[in-house]
Amino acid sequence: MTEHVLTRIANRTGIITLDRPKALNSLSLDMVRALTATLLAWREHAGIDAVVIASTSEKALCAGGDIRFFHEAGKATPQTGSPLLEDFFTEEYALNHLIHFYPKPYIALMDGVVMGGGMGIAQGGPDCGLRIVTERSKIAMPEVNIGLFPDVGGSHFLSHAPGRLGHYLGVTGVTIGAADAIYVGLADVFVPAAQLDALRALIESTPGAELPGAIRAFAAPFAPDAGELAAQREAIDRHFGADSVAAVMASLETDASPFAHKTLATMRQRSPLMMSVTREMLVRGASLGVADCLRMERSLVRRTFEHGEVLEGVRALVIDKDNTPQWKPPLLADVTPEMVAWFFAPVWPAHAHPLRDLRDS
């Protein structure tokens, strides 16, 4: 398996601990496979009533997929021909589906950085998920910053966020803290970092079947500092309710507030094409179940590597670190509806889709 995924059982709770601190627990294919194998084995395990996922590092639960690997695999072979990339995204999205519909409580300690693929392994569905944040939590779906789109189920959990909050988070890729994560519906309870040792002791001493209730009771006295999104909700819903990314930016340009100026500056750094693809994906995702959202994302990610935008984004921000990606096209005005529609054209016939067997249950 991998030395970066540690597992044990304590008091009828299966505990998964990510241990790749130098990479902020970025997910490799081996880690995805280890997580999947563990959760499949524990799904029917008679001695396990709940699952907890955490990290050995206070800096991050998981910073996402290993984007250096994406770049190396994408450049080493023709952009649509890397079997390692194909395997990674197929297996990662299948893992996200497994977590969303897990039949036992799935408790994620979202301390530190939780971004991209890290969100995918933290977002248990409404019937199983319990998501804990701290004042150190840094939560984002920042993929547009590297020429990708918010995947790992983002087309579902962002499109189902209240109002246009999910559109704001997906199209801008901004980072939020604990209060905003709870407000958006991407986290459930807040526990101060100073109380994490006591929380871990509670996890060890509480039978798995009783753990969700015990954690909620433990967290009840605590509340995070105020966030920003509730105060900006009216502006976000108004601006991001526009019918295109260009219209969103035009709306923001009429707003003299610091929030609007900051949001515009952020969007001007992102891939114009992938902001547009992201918005279209969220519109479509709002009417789809989890399985269909993941199938849509799996096709989109193939198209994104085929186009090459993500390779350029990773090059500029992670490999060369010049922070000057050469987006194609470079201007939002040059993004056409046909360019966006191409990303949503079927890659496989339905019977051959690599995630064809996923169901919403």
Side-chain angles (χ1 to χ4, degrees), residues 11-13 49-50 105 107 130 202-203 205-218:
N11 212 347
R12 300 188 65 84
T13 295
D49 294 324
I107 300 159
L130 178 56
L202 177 75
I203 291 169
S205 63
T206 304
E210 302 170 16
L211 197 52
I215 290 174
R216 288 185 181 276
F218 179 86

Side-chain angles (χ1 to χ4, degrees), residues 83-349:
L84 289 177
L85 277 176
E86 293 291 301
D87 288 350
F88 180 88
F89 288 107
T90 296
E91 295 183 41
E92 183 185 30
Y93 296 177
L95 171 62
N96 303 145
H97 182 272
L98 173 64
I99 289 169
H100 185 90
F101 293 106
Y102 209 65
K104 300 176 180 182
Y106 182 89
I107 300 159
L109 182 49
M110 299 168 67
D111 189 28
V113 172
V114 190
M115 297 184 181
M119 287 290 284
I121 62 169
Q123 295 295 310
D127 294 333
C128 68
L130 178 56
R131 302 156 298 177
I132 305 162
V133 285
T134 77
E135 70 273 18
R136 296 188 299 228
S137 297
K138 297 177 181 178
I139 292 169
M141 294 299 289
E143 288 81 0
V144 289
N145 199 31
I146 59 165
L148 195 58
F149 60 91
D151 62 338
V152 297
S155 61
H156 189 268
F157 60 74
L158 290 179
S159 69
H160 288 74
R164 290 288 168 156
L165 294 173
H167 281 240
Y168 166 71
L169 294 177
V171 171
T172 66
V174 297
T175 300
I176 59 175
D180 285 336
I182 292 171
Y183 180 70
V184 177
L186 299 177
D188 299 299
V189 298
F190 172 80
V191 173
Q195 296 293 325
L196 289 181
D197 285 345
L199 177 64
R200 294 185 185 100
L202 177 75
I203 291 169
E204 297 281 341
S205 63
T206 304
E210 302 170 16
L211 197 52
I215 290 174
R216 288 185 181 276
F218 179 86
F222 308 119
D225 292 338
E228 182 179 25
L229 295 186
Q232 301 297 340
R233 173 68 183 275
E234 184 277 332
I236 289 170
D237 286 352
R238 174 163 43 91
H239 296 311
F240 284 82
D243 61 4
S244 69
V245 174
V248 169
M249 296 183 75
S251 180
L252 286 164
E253 286 169 353
T254 68
D255 187 337
S257 70
F259 174 79
H261 287 175
K262 181 180 178 181
T263 302
L264 270 173
T266 297
M267 294 176 71
R268 287 170 179 151
Q269 297 174 349
R270 306 315 194 207
S271 163
L273 177 60
M274 295 318 296
M275 285 195 298
S276 301
V277 169
T278 293
R279 185 195 174 278
E280 177 65 19
M281 179 192 75
L282 294 175
V283 169
R284 295 180 182 223
S287 63
L288 300 176
V290 174
D292 282 335
C293 278
L294 289 166
R295 276 188 281 269
M296 174 175 63
E297 292 176 16
R298 184 63 187 85
S299 296
L300 282 173
V301 81
R302 166 70 86 86
R303 294 295 190 201
T304 306
F305 276 90
E306 187 176 345
H307 178 279
E309 193 82 329
V310 63
L311 300 177
E312 172 59 14
V314 174
R315 179 209 63 76
L317 275 76
V318 179
I319 306 301
D320 297 339
K321 298 183 179 178
D322 58 32
N323 293 315
T324 55
Q326 303 301 305
W327 301 128
K328 295 180 181 178
L331 301 176
L332 184 60
D334 294 331
V335 177
T336 67
E338 291 76 19
M339 290 177 186
V340 174
W342 175 79
F343 281 81
F344 294 88
V347 175
W348 304 273

